[in-house]
Amino acid sequence: MKESRVPKKHNTLKKVQPYFWLLPSIIMMTVFIMIPILSVFRISFSEVGRTGKIKGFNGIENYIAIFEKPVFWHTLMNTLIWTLVVVGISTIFGFILAMVLNQEFKGRKFVRAVVIFPWATALIIQSVVWKYIINAEYGSLNVLLSKLGLIDHFVNWTSTPASTFAWECWIGIFVTVPFVTFCVLSGLQSIDTSYYEAAAVDGATSWTKLFKITVPLVMPSLTVSTVLNIIYVFNSFPIVWTISKGAPADQTHTLVTYLYQLSFSEGRGGLAAAVSVVGFVILAVFAGIYMIMSLKSEEVS
């Protein structure tokens, strides 16, 4: 009987052991992620004073208030455009740049170091630098173009909401391309060269190798970079806030900068929490779609 009990205790301990090691992570996720999320949901259904004090439950009044604001819908559209443009263009350029950096050429290590610099530098610093570059009065872009004789007077590059938002998108692309580049580059370097050698023997062209070998084998890395980029770009704050703070007339806001203004500039914490929940739901829906597509692709394979 004693011999039969030992294996049972051992098996029980073996089953419990993974949860024991996961316990610190579970506690941290609960304290730093789940509790704040639940707190934001609670605030979004509450009346909040300018000091941040919760006065009581007010149902869906905060959501009705933000949905009635035209600026909210314009901000939501800005956020979707911002995310699609930055992620889409940076993915294309990042893939092309990764293909170039995967080739053998003199000075490749130096070029790789230069390419990663925009991503390695703090985003707020990048934003401030670009704000001075495009400044209408003393910006280096105007000075450079003037010395080259391309312009005869300094140009106000952010004179309209559309031009301001376009520059913000460009800065977002500029700082995002390096991340995509090195994610794709890691996937390219893991591809066995024998695939290309076999394709060359069969007479495959460069385009055939690209679409039949490179793209399918690098797709896992590209998918990871795209998903992470959507999350990062959707929630990005420093670029828009540093360049325009939503000006002029709240026309260049994204959801993150808009809720920041509502909460800290206007003292309307309940409305800010409601905007935050809307953004959370949008990302949750996207994450759910991605999970379903990933599971279906695994079943097929």
Side-chain angles (χ1 to χ4, degrees):
M1 294 295 291
K2 290 183 179 180
E3 291 180 0
S4 62
R5 289 177 183 175
V6 175
K8 287 183 179 179
K9 290 182 179 179
H10 179 71
N11 290 336
T12 303
L13 182 62
K14 199 171 182 180
K15 291 179 179 178
V16 175
Q17 191 175 19
Y19 298 100
F20 175 78
W21 292 112
L22 287 172
L23 186 60
S25 298
I26 295 172
I27 293 173
M28 289 186 66
M29 289 179 64
T30 302
V31 173
F32 295 107
I33 298 178
M34 294 306 301
I35 292 178
I37 289 175
L38 295 175
S39 177
V40 170
F41 270 87
R42 174 172 169 258
I43 294 172
S44 71
F45 292 102
S46 304
E47 182 182 355
V48 183
R50 293 188 66 87
T51 60
K53 183 179 179 181
I54 298 177
K55 297 181 179 180
F57 179 78
N58 69 348
I60 61 172
E61 288 185 13
N62 290 329
Y63 292 93
I64 294 174
I66 63 169
F67 290 152
E68 288 178 345
K69 290 178 175 289
V71 65
F72 168 77
W73 295 106
H74 185 78
T75 298
L76 182 60
M77 182 59 65
N78 279 350
T79 306
L80 297 177
I81 294 172
W82 156 263
T83 304
L84 290 173
V85 169
V86 174
V87 174
I89 296 179
S90 64
T91 299
I92 295 171
F93 279 101
F95 185 87
I96 295 172
L97 191 55
M99 294 285 291
V100 173
L101 293 179
N102 194 45
Q103 306 299 316
E104 292 286 346
F105 61 89
K106 190 175 181 180
R108 184 174 66 167
K109 291 183 179 179
F110 174 75
V111 175
R112 286 182 177 181
V114 172
V115 168
I116 203 173
F117 182 76
W119 182 67
T121 310
L123 197 54
I124 186 67
I125 296 175
Q126 291 277 352
S127 304
V128 171
V129 169
W130 274 101
K131 185 176 182 179
Y132 281 102
I133 289 174
I134 62 177
N135 186 276
E137 298 177 0
Y138 48 81
S140 57
L141 179 59
N142 274 328
V143 173
L144 176 62
L145 294 177
S146 179
K147 288 184 176 181
L148 292 174
L150 298 177
I151 58 175
D152 54 5
H153 63 279
F154 280 14
V155 178
N156 184 0
W157 300 104
T158 56
S159 59
T160 64
S163 61
T164 302
F165 194 66
W167 273 106
E168 290 169 351
C169 289
W170 157 249
I171 298 168
I173 293 166
F174 179 79
V175 299
T176 305
V177 164
F179 173 72
V180 179
T181 299
F182 282 90
C183 282
V184 175
L185 186 60
S186 65
L188 290 172
Q189 293 182 335
S190 65
I191 299 176
D192 194 337
T193 56
S194 62
Y195 291 115
Y196 296 105
E197 294 170 358
V201 171
D202 291 337
T205 63
S206 298
W207 289 107
T208 302
K209 293 177 184 177
L210 175 63
F211 290 106
K212 296 296 184 180
I213 299 175
T214 304
V215 173
L217 293 179
V218 85
M219 190 57 69
S221 300
L222 193 59
T223 302
V224 170
S225 70
T226 302
V227 172
L228 292 177
N229 260 339
I230 290 174
I231 296 171
Y232 295 154
V233 173
F234 188 92
N235 292 313
S236 182
F237 174 82
I239 295 174
V240 176
W241 191 256
T242 301
I243 299 299
S244 67
K245 291 184 173 61
D250 294 331
Q251 293 296 298
T252 60
H253 271 304
T254 60
L255 285 180
V256 177
T257 58
Y258 181 56
L259 70 87
Y260 181 88
Q261 177 176 290
L262 285 174
S263 181
F264 295 100
S265 299
E266 301 178 13
R268 308 175 76 177
L271 298 185
V275 174
S276 179
V277 169
V278 171
F280 174 82
V281 170
I282 292 173
L283 285 178
V285 169
F286 169 78
I289 294 172
Y290 169 73
M291 290 290 292
I292 293 172
M293 292 175 63
S294 298
L295 291 174
K296 284 185 177 180
S297 64
E298 288 180 5
E299 290 177 358
V300 172
S301 60

